[in-house]
Amino acid sequence: MSYTNNMDDPELGDSLINEYSFSEKAVRMGFIRKVYSILFVQIGVTASMIALFIYVDPIKEYSRDNPWMWILAFVMTFVIIIVLACCPDFRRKSPINFILLFVFTFCEGFLLGTVSGHYEKDEVLMAVGITAIVTLALTVFAFQTKWDFTMMGGMLFVLVIVLFCFGILCAIIQSRILSLVYASIGALIFSAYIVFDTQMMLGGKHKYSISPEEYIFAALNLYLDIINLFLFILSIIGNAKD
């Protein structure tokens, strides 16, 4: 991951600073448009996959009868995300970066579809609607707020590790109350991640920002935040109804 520290050089003249700021802003706006264009395509593909599983019963039944498909999709998403996260050349070089991202999105959409197939249609649609509203509200908040969340990366990472350990405990104990608490905490953490990753993409007055070359990585981060938020909200709805 590439970061830039947004600190002004006091030795630069006013005209040079203005010219640099204008150029930087234009590049950053183009970067943001590219990231959200990719993200909307990812969400569209994922939503289509989920719709197939909740509305077309033969597809849902076929996936249940062939668990190797789920295993293959899970392995491929795990491998691709490691490649995109650890190999800058792959995520910056076109068209290989788009191919890897599309394959990852397709596999992730399949996994989300299989999970959604275990819930009622109204529960899935409710989770989709809540996720969309929360994501939009958090994105607007990240754009408008003067609070800088880009310095919270370390703390959020620690919270994810704690959440992972808590999830293992919930799997062992099998308590509905614990599952509700776990899903609620997970939804809060990934809501914070949406604000964090959005401000990392914005740059400007924030202390840290992601490089404009990393549009694939930025879109991947936001996509993972949104689908994790969706899964936790879906879990909350399912447990609450049970």
Side-chain angles (χ1 to χ4, degrees):
M1 186 185 300
S2 298
Y3 296 100
T4 58
N5 197 317
N6 299 304
M7 298 180 65
D8 294 332
D9 186 347
E11 297 181 357
L12 291 176
D14 292 341
S15 60
L16 187 57
I17 292 176
N18 292 334
E19 181 180 353
Y20 172 79
S21 299
F22 178 80
S23 176
E24 174 68 16
K25 184 176 180 180
V27 171
R28 184 63 60 177
M29 291 303 297
F31 166 67
I32 293 172
R33 285 193 294 268
K34 187 179 292 186
V35 169
Y36 277 110
S37 297
I38 296 171
L39 181 62
F40 286 147
V41 172
Q42 288 181 279
I43 293 175
V45 171
T46 305
S48 300
M49 297 288 290
I50 292 175
L52 286 175
F53 276 85
I54 64 175
Y55 286 110
V56 183
D57 290 334
I59 293 179
K60 180 168 60 177
E61 293 171 0
Y62 184 81
S63 66
R64 288 179 178 177
D65 295 336
N66 294 271
W68 63 268
M69 298 176 65
W70 191 92
I71 297 172
L72 178 61
F74 180 80
V75 171
M76 289 186 67
T77 56
F78 187 73
V79 171
I80 292 174
I81 198 170
I82 290 177
V83 171
L84 290 175
C86 302
C87 303
D89 292 338
F90 280 99
R91 67 174 182 259
R92 293 178 182 176
K93 187 176 181 181
S94 182
I96 185 66
N97 53 1
F98 285 102
I99 294 173
L100 289 174
L101 189 66
F102 175 79
V103 174
F104 174 83
T105 304
F106 182 82
C107 293
E108 196 67 37
F110 176 82
L111 293 175
L112 289 175
T114 58
V115 172
S116 300
H118 291 83
Y119 292 86
E120 298 295 330
K121 295 177 183 178
D122 60 332
E123 295 175 346
V124 177
L125 293 176
M126 190 182 301
V128 169
I130 295 173
T131 303
I133 294 171
V134 172
T135 301
L136 179 61
L138 291 173
T139 301
V140 172
F141 172 75
F143 271 82
Q144 299 296 327
T145 185
K146 295 181 180 180
W147 294 351
D148 190 355
F149 286 83
T150 62
M151 297 180 289
M152 295 176 56
M155 184 182 70
L156 289 174
F157 179 75
V158 171
L159 290 176
V160 168
I161 298 299
V162 174
L163 181 69
F164 176 76
C165 296
F166 187 30
I168 295 176
L169 178 64
C170 292
I172 295 173
I173 297 179
Q174 293 290 324
S175 168
R176 187 172 67 89
I177 300 299
L178 274 181
S179 297
L180 271 171
V181 173
Y182 169 73
S184 300
I185 295 174
L188 288 174
I189 291 175
F190 282 97
S191 294
Y193 256 115
I194 290 176
V195 178
F196 169 78
D197 286 324
T198 301
Q199 288 194 344
M200 287 290 295
M201 179 183 63
L202 292 177
K205 297 180 179 180
H206 302 112
K207 185 173 182 180
Y208 299 104
S209 63
I210 192 168
S211 169
E213 296 178 355
E214 299 284 7
Y215 53 89
I216 292 292
F217 196 65
L220 179 63
N221 285 339
L222 286 172
Y223 174 73
L224 289 173
D225 297 340
I226 294 171
I227 64 173
N228 276 290
L229 177 62
F230 165 75
L231 287 173
F232 282 118
I233 291 176
L234 183 61
S235 179
I236 292 172
I237 294 172
N239 281 293
K241 283 199 170 185
D242 290 340

